[in-house]
Coordinates of all heavy atoms in Angstrom, one line a residue:
M223 N 0.8 -1.2 0.0 CA 0.0 0.0 0.0 C 0.9 1.2 0.0 O 1.9 1.3 0.7 CB -0.9 0.0 1.2 CG -2.1 -0.9 1.2 SD -3.3 -0.7 2.4 CE -2.4 -0.6 3.9
N224 N 0.5 2.2 -0.8 CA 1.2 3.5 -0.8 C 0.7 4.4 0.3 O -0.5 4.6 0.4 CB 1.1 4.1 -2.2 CG 1.8 3.4 -3.3 OD1 2.7 2.7 -3.0 ND2 1.3 3.6 -4.5
Q225 N 1.6 4.9 1.0 CA 1.2 5.9 2.1 C 1.4 7.3 1.5 O 2.3 7.5 0.7 CB 2.0 5.7 3.3 CG 1.7 4.4 4.1 CD 2.1 4.5 5.5 OE1 2.7 5.5 5.9 NE2 1.8 3.5 6.2
P226 N 0.5 8.2 1.9 CA 0.7 9.6 1.4 C 2.0 10.2 1.8 O 2.5 9.8 2.9 CB -0.5 10.4 2.0 CG -1.0 9.5 3.0 CD -0.6 8.1 2.8
A227 N 2.6 11.0 1.0 CA 3.9 11.6 1.4 C 3.7 12.5 2.6 O 2.7 13.2 2.7 CB 4.4 12.4 0.2
R228 N 4.6 12.4 3.5 CA 4.6 13.3 4.7 C 5.3 14.6 4.4 O 6.4 14.5 3.9 CB 5.2 12.5 5.9 CG 4.3 11.4 6.3 CD 4.7 10.9 7.7 NE 3.8 9.9 8.1 CZ 4.0 9.2 9.1 NH1 5.1 9.2 9.8 NH2 3.1 8.3 9.5
P229 N 4.8 15.7 4.8 CA 5.5 16.9 4.7 C 6.8 17.0 5.5 O 6.8 16.4 6.6 CB 4.5 18.0 5.2 CG 3.2 17.3 5.3 CD 3.5 15.8 5.4
T230 N 7.8 17.5 4.9 CA 9.1 17.6 5.6 C 9.3 19.1 5.9 O 8.8 20.0 5.3 CB 10.2 17.0 4.8 OG1 10.3 17.7 3.5 CG2 10.0 15.5 4.5
N231 N 10.2 19.3 6.9 CA 10.6 20.6 7.3 C 9.5 21.5 7.7 O 9.4 22.7 7.4 CB 11.4 21.3 6.1 CG 12.7 20.5 5.8 OD1 13.3 19.9 6.7 ND2 13.1 20.5 4.6
V232 N 8.5 20.9 8.4 CA 7.4 21.7 8.9 C 7.8 22.1 10.3 O 8.0 21.2 11.1 CB 6.1 20.9 8.9 CG1 5.0 21.7 9.5 CG2 5.7 20.6 7.4
P233 N 7.8 23.4 10.6 CA 8.2 23.8 12.0 C 7.1 23.4 13.0 O 5.9 23.2 12.6 CB 8.3 25.3 11.9 CG 7.4 25.7 10.7 CD 7.5 24.5 9.8
P234 N 7.5 23.3 14.2 CA 6.5 22.9 15.3 C 5.5 24.1 15.4 O 5.7 25.2 15.0 CB 7.3 22.8 16.5 CG 8.6 23.5 16.3 CD 8.8 23.5 14.8
P235 N 4.3 23.8 15.9 CA 3.3 24.8 16.0 C 3.7 25.9 17.0 O 4.4 25.6 17.9 CB 2.0 24.0 16.5 CG 2.6 22.8 17.1 CD 3.8 22.5 16.4
T236 N 3.2 27.1 16.7 CA 3.4 28.2 17.6 C 2.6 28.0 18.9 O 1.7 27.1 18.9 CB 3.0 29.5 17.0 OG1 1.6 29.5 16.8 CG2 3.8 29.8 15.7
K237 N 2.8 28.7 19.9 CA 2.0 28.6 21.1 C 0.5 28.8 20.8 O -0.4 28.2 21.3 CB 2.4 29.6 22.2 CG 3.7 29.2 22.9 CD 4.0 30.1 24.0 CE 4.5 31.5 23.5 NZ 4.9 32.4 24.6
H238 N 0.2 29.8 19.9 CA -1.2 30.1 19.6 C -1.8 29.0 18.7 O -3.0 28.7 19.0 CB -1.2 31.4 18.8 CG -0.6 32.6 19.6 ND1 -1.2 33.0 20.8 CD2 0.4 33.4 19.3 CE1 -0.4 34.0 21.2 NE2 0.5 34.3 20.4
Q239 N -1.0 28.4 17.8 CA -1.6 27.3 17.0 C -1.8 26.1 17.9 O -2.9 25.5 17.8 CB -0.6 26.9 15.9 CG -0.5 27.9 14.8 CD 0.7 27.6 13.9 OE1 1.6 26.9 14.2 NE2 0.7 28.2 12.7
L240 N -0.9 25.8 18.8 CA -1.1 24.7 19.7 C -2.3 24.9 20.7 O -3.1 24.0 20.9 CB 0.2 24.5 20.6 CG 0.3 23.2 21.4 CD1 0.1 22.0 20.5 CD2 1.6 23.1 22.1
A241 N -2.5 26.1 21.1 CA -3.6 26.5 22.0 C -4.9 26.2 21.2 O -5.9 25.6 21.8 CB -3.5 27.9 22.5
L242 N -5.0 26.6 20.0 CA -6.2 26.4 19.2 C -6.4 24.9 18.9 O -7.5 24.5 19.0 CB -6.0 27.2 17.8 CG -7.2 27.0 16.9 CD1 -8.5 27.5 17.5 CD2 -6.9 27.7 15.5
M243 N -5.3 24.2 18.6 CA -5.5 22.8 18.4 C -6.0 22.1 19.6 O -6.9 21.2 19.5 CB -4.1 22.2 18.0 CG -3.7 22.6 16.6 SD -1.9 22.3 16.3 CE -1.9 20.5 16.4
I244 N -5.5 22.4 20.8 CA -5.9 21.8 22.0 C -7.4 22.1 22.3 O -8.2 21.3 22.6 CB -5.0 22.2 23.2 CG1 -3.6 21.6 23.1 CG2 -5.7 21.9 24.5 CD1 -2.6 22.2 24.0
W245 N -7.8 23.4 22.1 CA -9.2 23.8 22.2 C -10.1 23.0 21.3 O -11.1 22.5 21.7 CB -9.3 25.3 22.0 CG -10.7 25.8 22.3 CD1 -11.1 26.3 23.5 CD2 -11.8 25.9 21.4 NE1 -12.4 26.7 23.4 CE2 -12.8 26.5 22.1 CE3 -11.9 25.6 20.1 CZ2 -14.1 26.7 21.6 CZ3 -13.2 25.9 19.5 CH2 -14.2 26.4 20.2
V246 N -9.7 22.9 20.0 CA -10.5 22.2 19.1 C -10.7 20.7 19.5 O -11.7 20.1 19.2 CB -9.9 22.3 17.6 CG1 -10.4 21.3 16.7 CG2 -10.0 23.7 17.1
A247 N -9.7 20.1 20.1 CA -9.8 18.8 20.6 C -10.5 18.6 21.9 O -11.3 17.7 22.0 CB -8.4 18.2 20.7
V248 N -10.3 19.5 22.8 CA -10.8 19.3 24.2 C -12.3 19.7 24.2 O -13.1 18.9 24.8 CB -10.0 20.2 25.2 CG1 -10.7 20.3 26.5 CG2 -8.6 19.6 25.3
V249 N -12.7 20.8 23.7 CA -14.1 21.2 23.8 C -15.1 20.2 23.3 O -16.0 19.8 24.1 CB -14.3 22.6 23.2 CG1 -15.8 23.0 23.2 CG2 -13.6 23.7 24.0
P250 N -15.0 19.8 22.1 CA -16.0 18.8 21.6 C -15.9 17.4 22.4 O -16.9 16.8 22.6 CB -15.6 18.5 20.1 CG -14.8 19.7 19.7 CD -14.1 20.2 21.0
T251 N -14.7 17.1 22.8 CA -14.6 15.8 23.6 C -15.3 16.0 24.9 O -16.1 15.0 25.3 CB -13.1 15.5 23.9 OG1 -12.4 15.4 22.6 CG2 -12.9 14.3 24.7
L252 N -15.2 17.1 25.6 CA -15.8 17.2 26.9 C -17.4 17.4 26.7 O -18.1 16.8 27.5 CB -15.3 18.5 27.6 CG -13.9 18.3 28.2 CD1 -13.4 19.6 28.8 CD2 -13.8 17.2 29.2
I253 N -17.8 18.0 25.6 CA -19.2 18.1 25.4 C -19.8 16.7 25.1 O -20.8 16.4 25.7 CB -19.5 19.1 24.2 CG1 -19.2 20.5 24.6 CG2 -21.0 18.9 23.7 CD1 -19.3 21.5 23.5
G254 N -19.1 16.0 24.3 CA -19.6 14.6 24.0 C -19.6 13.7 25.2 O -20.6 13.0 25.4
L255 N -18.6 13.8 26.0 CA -18.5 13.0 27.2 C -19.6 13.4 28.2 O -20.2 12.5 28.9 CB -17.1 13.0 27.9 CG -16.0 12.3 27.2 CD1 -14.7 12.6 27.8 CD2 -16.3 10.8 27.2
N256 N -19.8 14.7 28.4 CA -20.9 15.2 29.2 C -22.2 14.7 28.8 O -23.1 14.2 29.6 CB -20.9 16.7 29.3 CG -20.0 17.2 30.5 OD1 -20.3 16.9 31.6 ND2 -19.0 17.9 30.1
L257 N -22.5 14.7 27.5 CA -23.8 14.2 27.0 C -23.9 12.7 27.2 O -25.0 12.2 27.5 CB -23.9 14.6 25.5 CG -24.1 16.1 25.2 CD1 -24.0 16.4 23.7 CD2 -25.4 16.6 25.8
L258 N -22.8 12.0 26.9 CA -22.8 10.6 26.9 C -23.0 10.0 28.4 O -23.7 9.1 28.6 CB -21.5 10.0 26.3 CG -21.4 8.5 26.2 CD1 -22.4 8.0 25.2 CD2 -20.0 8.1 25.7
L259 N -22.3 10.7 29.3 CA -22.2 10.2 30.7 C -23.0 10.9 31.7 O -22.9 10.7 32.9 CB -20.7 10.2 31.1 CG -19.8 9.3 30.3 CD1 -18.3 9.5 30.8 CD2 -20.1 7.9 30.4
D260 N -23.9 11.8 31.2 CA -24.7 12.7 32.1 C -25.4 11.9 33.1 O -25.4 12.2 34.3 CB -25.6 13.6 31.3 CG -26.3 14.6 32.1 OD1 -25.6 15.2 32.9 OD2 -27.5 14.7 32.0
D261 N -26.2 10.9 32.7 CA -26.9 10.1 33.6 C -26.1 9.3 34.6 O -26.3 9.2 35.8 CB -27.9 9.1 32.9 CG -29.0 9.8 32.1 OD1 -29.3 11.0 32.5 OD2 -29.5 9.3 31.2
A262 N -25.0 8.7 34.1 CA -24.1 7.9 34.9 C -23.4 8.8 36.0 O -23.1 8.3 37.1 CB -23.0 7.2 34.1
L263 N -23.1 10.0 35.7 CA -22.4 10.9 36.6 C -23.3 11.9 37.4 O -22.8 12.7 38.1 CB -21.3 11.6 35.8 CG -20.3 10.8 35.1 CD1 -19.3 11.7 34.3 CD2 -19.5 9.9 36.0
A264 N -24.6 11.7 37.2 CA -25.5 12.7 37.8 C -25.4 12.8 39.3 O -25.6 13.9 39.8 CB -26.9 12.3 37.4
D265 N -25.1 11.8 40.0 CA -25.0 11.8 41.4 C -23.7 12.3 42.0 O -23.6 12.5 43.2 CB -25.2 10.4 42.0 CG -26.7 9.9 41.7 OD1 -27.6 10.8 41.5 OD2 -26.9 8.7 41.7
L266 N -22.7 12.5 41.1 CA -21.4 13.0 41.6 C -21.4 14.6 41.7 O -22.0 15.3 40.9 CB -20.3 12.6 40.6 CG -20.0 11.1 40.5 CD1 -18.9 10.9 39.4 CD2 -19.6 10.6 41.8
S267 N -20.7 15.0 42.7 CA -20.5 16.5 42.8 C -19.5 16.9 41.8 O -18.9 16.2 41.0 CB -20.0 16.8 44.2 OG -18.8 16.3 44.5
T268 N -19.2 18.2 41.7 CA -18.4 18.8 40.6 C -17.0 18.3 40.6 O -16.5 17.9 39.5 CB -18.4 20.4 40.8 OG1 -19.7 20.9 40.8 CG2 -17.5 21.0 39.7
A269 N -16.3 18.2 41.7 CA -14.9 17.7 41.7 C -14.8 16.3 41.2 O -14.0 16.0 40.3 CB -14.3 17.9 43.1
P270 N -15.5 15.3 41.8 CA -15.4 13.9 41.3 C -15.8 13.8 39.8 O -15.2 13.1 39.0 CB -16.3 13.1 42.2 CG -16.5 13.9 43.4 CD -16.4 15.3 43.0
R271 N -16.9 14.5 39.4 CA -17.3 14.5 38.0 C -16.2 15.0 37.1 O -16.0 14.4 36.1 CB -18.6 15.3 37.9 CG -19.2 15.3 36.5 CD -20.4 16.2 36.4 NE -20.9 16.2 35.1 CZ -22.0 15.5 34.7 NH1 -22.7 14.8 35.6 NH2 -22.4 15.6 33.4
T272 N -15.6 16.1 37.5 CA -14.5 16.6 36.7 C -13.4 15.7 36.6 O -12.7 15.5 35.5 CB -14.1 18.0 37.3 OG1 -15.2 18.9 37.3 CG2 -12.9 18.6 36.5
F273 N -13.0 15.0 37.7 CA -11.9 14.0 37.7 C -12.2 12.9 36.8 O -11.4 12.5 36.0 CB -11.7 13.5 39.2 CG -10.7 12.5 39.3 CD1 -9.3 12.8 39.3 CD2 -11.0 11.1 39.3 CE1 -8.3 11.9 39.4 CE2 -10.0 10.1 39.4 CZ -8.7 10.5 39.4
V274 N -13.4 12.4 36.8 CA -13.8 11.3 35.9 C -13.8 11.7 34.4 O -13.2 11.0 33.6 CB -15.2 10.7 36.3 CG1 -15.7 9.8 35.2 CG2 -15.2 10.0 37.6
L275 N -14.3 12.9 34.2 CA -14.3 13.4 32.8 C -12.9 13.6 32.3 O -12.6 13.3 31.1 CB -15.2 14.6 32.7 CG -16.7 14.4 32.8 CD1 -17.4 15.7 32.9 CD2 -17.2 13.5 31.7
A276 N -12.1 14.2 33.1 CA -10.7 14.5 32.7 C -9.9 13.2 32.5 O -9.1 13.1 31.6 CB -10.0 15.4 33.7
T277 N -10.2 12.2 33.3 CA -9.5 10.9 33.2 C -9.8 10.2 31.9 O -9.0 9.6 31.3 CB -9.8 10.0 34.4 OG1 -9.4 10.7 35.6 CG2 -9.2 8.7 34.4
I278 N -11.0 10.4 31.4 CA -11.4 9.8 30.2 C -11.0 10.7 29.0 O -10.5 10.2 28.0 CB -13.0 9.6 30.1 CG1 -13.4 8.6 31.2 CG2 -13.4 9.1 28.8 CD1 -14.9 8.5 31.5
A279 N -11.1 12.0 29.1 CA -10.9 13.0 28.0 C -9.4 13.1 27.7 O -9.1 13.2 26.5 CB -11.5 14.3 28.4
V280 N -8.5 13.1 28.7 CA -7.1 13.3 28.4 C -6.5 12.3 27.4 O -5.9 12.6 26.4 CB -6.3 13.5 29.7 CG1 -4.8 13.4 29.4 CG2 -6.7 14.8 30.4
P281 N -6.7 11.0 27.7 CA -6.2 10.0 26.7 C -6.8 10.1 25.3 O -6.1 10.0 24.3 CB -6.5 8.7 27.3 CG -6.7 8.9 28.8 CD -7.3 10.3 28.9
I282 N -8.1 10.4 25.3 CA -8.8 10.6 24.0 C -8.1 11.8 23.2 O -7.8 11.6 22.0 CB -10.3 10.9 24.1 CG1 -11.0 9.6 24.6 CG2 -10.9 11.4 22.8 CD1 -12.4 9.9 25.1
V283 N -7.9 12.9 23.9 CA -7.3 14.0 23.2 C -5.8 13.8 22.9 O -5.4 14.0 21.7 CB -7.4 15.3 24.2 CG1 -6.6 16.4 23.7 CG2 -8.9 15.7 24.2
I284 N -5.0 13.3 23.8 CA -3.6 13.2 23.6 C -3.3 12.1 22.6 O -2.4 12.3 21.7 CB -2.9 12.9 24.9 CG1 -3.0 14.1 25.9 CG2 -1.4 12.6 24.7 CD1 -2.4 15.4 25.3
Y285 N -3.9 10.9 22.7 CA -3.5 9.8 21.9 C -4.4 9.7 20.6 O -4.0 9.1 19.6 CB -3.6 8.5 22.7 CG -2.6 8.4 23.8 CD1 -3.1 8.4 25.1 CD2 -1.3 8.5 23.6 CE1 -2.2 8.4 26.2 CE2 -0.4 8.4 24.6 CZ -0.8 8.4 25.9 OH 0.0 8.4 27.0
G286 N -5.6 10.2 20.7 CA -6.5 10.1 19.5 C -6.6 11.3 18.6 O -6.5 11.2 17.4
L287 N -6.8 12.5 19.2 CA -7.1 13.6 18.5 C -5.9 14.5 18.1 O -5.8 15.0 17.0 CB -8.2 14.5 19.2 CG -9.5 13.8 19.4 CD1 -10.4 14.7 20.2 CD2 -10.1 13.4 18.1
M288 N -5.0 14.7 19.1 CA -3.9 15.6 18.8 C -2.9 15.1 17.7 O -2.5 15.9 16.9 CB -3.1 15.8 20.1 CG -3.8 16.8 21.1 SD -4.3 18.4 20.4 CE -2.7 19.1 20.1
P289 N -2.6 13.8 17.6 CA -1.8 13.4 16.5 C -2.5 13.7 15.1 O -1.8 14.1 14.2 CB -1.7 11.8 16.7 CG -1.8 11.7 18.1 CD -2.8 12.7 18.6
R290 N -3.8 13.5 15.0 CA -4.5 13.8 13.8 C -4.4 15.3 13.5 O -4.3 15.7 12.3 CB -5.9 13.3 13.9 CG -6.1 11.8 13.8 CD -7.5 11.4 14.0 NE -7.7 10.0 13.7 CZ -7.7 9.1 14.7 NH1 -7.5 9.5 16.0 NH2 -7.9 7.8 14.4
L291 N -4.6 16.1 14.5 CA -4.6 17.6 14.3 C -3.2 18.0 13.9 O -3.0 18.9 13.1 CB -5.0 18.3 15.6 CG -6.5 18.2 15.9 CD1 -6.9 18.8 17.2 CD2 -7.3 18.9 14.8
H292 N -2.1 17.4 14.5 CA -0.7 17.7 14.1 C -0.5 17.4 12.6 O 0.1 18.1 11.9 CB 0.3 17.0 15.0 CG 0.5 17.7 16.3 ND1 1.3 18.9 16.4 CD2 0.1 17.4 17.6 CE1 1.3 19.2 17.7 NE2 0.6 18.4 18.4
R293 N -1.0 16.2 12.2 CA -0.8 15.8 10.8 C -1.6 16.8 9.9 O -1.1 17.2 8.8 CB -1.3 14.4 10.6 CG -0.3 13.4 11.1 CD -0.7 12.0 10.6 NE -1.9 11.5 11.1 CZ -2.1 10.8 12.2 NH1 -1.1 10.6 13.0 NH2 -3.3 10.4 12.6
L294 N -2.8 17.2 10.3 CA -3.6 18.1 9.5 C -2.9 19.4 9.4 O -2.7 20.0 8.3 CB -5.0 18.3 10.1 CG -5.9 19.3 9.4 CD1 -6.1 19.0 8.0 CD2 -7.1 19.5 10.2
R295 N -2.4 19.9 10.5 CA -1.6 21.2 10.5 C -0.4 21.1 9.6 O -0.1 22.0 8.9 CB -1.2 21.6 11.9 CG -0.5 22.9 12.0 CD 0.2 23.1 13.3 NE 1.2 24.0 13.1 CZ 2.5 23.7 12.7 NH1 2.8 22.5 12.5 NH2 3.4 24.7 12.6
A296 N 0.3 20.0 9.7 CA 1.5 19.8 8.9 C 1.2 19.9 7.4 O 1.9 20.5 6.6 CB 2.2 18.5 9.2
R297 N 0.1 19.2 7.0 CA -0.3 19.3 5.6 C -0.7 20.7 5.2 O -0.4 21.2 4.1 CB -1.5 18.3 5.4 CG -1.1 16.9 5.3 CD -2.1 16.0 4.6 NE -3.4 16.1 5.2 CZ -4.0 15.4 6.1 NH1 -3.3 14.4 6.6 NH2 -5.2 15.6 6.5
L298 N -1.4 21.4 6.1 CA -1.8 22.8 5.7 C -0.6 23.7 5.6 O -0.5 24.6 4.7 CB -2.8 23.3 6.8 CG -4.2 22.6 6.8 CD1 -5.0 23.1 8.0 CD2 -4.9 22.9 5.5
V299 N 0.3 23.6 6.5 CA 1.5 24.4 6.5 C 2.4 24.1 5.3 O 2.9 25.0 4.6 CB 2.4 24.2 7.8 CG1 3.7 24.9 7.7 CG2 1.6 24.8 9.0
A300 N 2.5 22.8 4.9 CA 3.3 22.4 3.8 C 2.7 23.0 2.5 O 3.4 23.3 1.5 CB 3.4 20.9 3.7
R301 N 1.4 23.1 2.4 CA 0.7 23.6 1.2 C 1.0 25.1 1.1 O 1.0 25.6 -0.1 CB -0.8 23.4 1.3 CG -1.3 22.2 0.7 CD -2.8 22.2 0.7 NE -3.3 20.9 0.8 CZ -4.5 20.5 1.0 NH1 -5.4 21.4 1.2 NH2 -4.8 19.3 1.1
A302 N 1.0 25.8 2.2 CA 1.2 27.3 2.1 C 2.5 27.7 1.6 O 3.5 27.0 1.5 CB 0.9 27.8 3.5

């Protein structure tokens, strides 16, 4: 199988780009988890609920979404 060519010499994201990428990954993830787990977490107070949501959201964002966003950004930067 042929894999698409990877852009080379793409600089790392700026602080502002990274902040936007994190926001784009985190906000929909937290909204989705809140909607999905609302009934299951209804009896928890704010702190334990936040702990559970963060424990689920962080791996999704770091291992699932951020690598995809970095690849997308690299393709966009390479095109420019």
Side-chain angles (χ1 to χ4, degrees):
M223 284 193 308
N224 291 337
Q225 289 200 359
R228 289 192 173 169
T230 57
N231 298 329
V232 175
T236 66
K237 287 188 285 188
H238 302 297
Q239 291 170 342
L240 190 56
L242 178 62
M243 291 166 61
I244 292 169
W245 186 88
V246 164
V248 169
V249 169
T251 302
L252 288 177
I253 290 171
L255 287 173
N256 269 299
L257 292 171
L258 184 67
L259 300 174
D260 187 47
D261 292 337
L263 302 178
D265 294 337
L266 294 178
S267 63
T268 302
R271 181 182 179 102
T272 302
F273 178 80
V274 169
L275 290 172
T277 300
I278 297 168
V280 168
I282 291 170
V283 168
I284 295 300
Y285 299 113
L287 300 176
M288 288 306 292
R290 289 179 172 93
L291 288 173
H292 278 285
R293 284 192 298 273
L294 174 62
R295 182 195 157 274
R297 284 198 310 264
L298 292 173
V299 168
R301 268 190 210 165

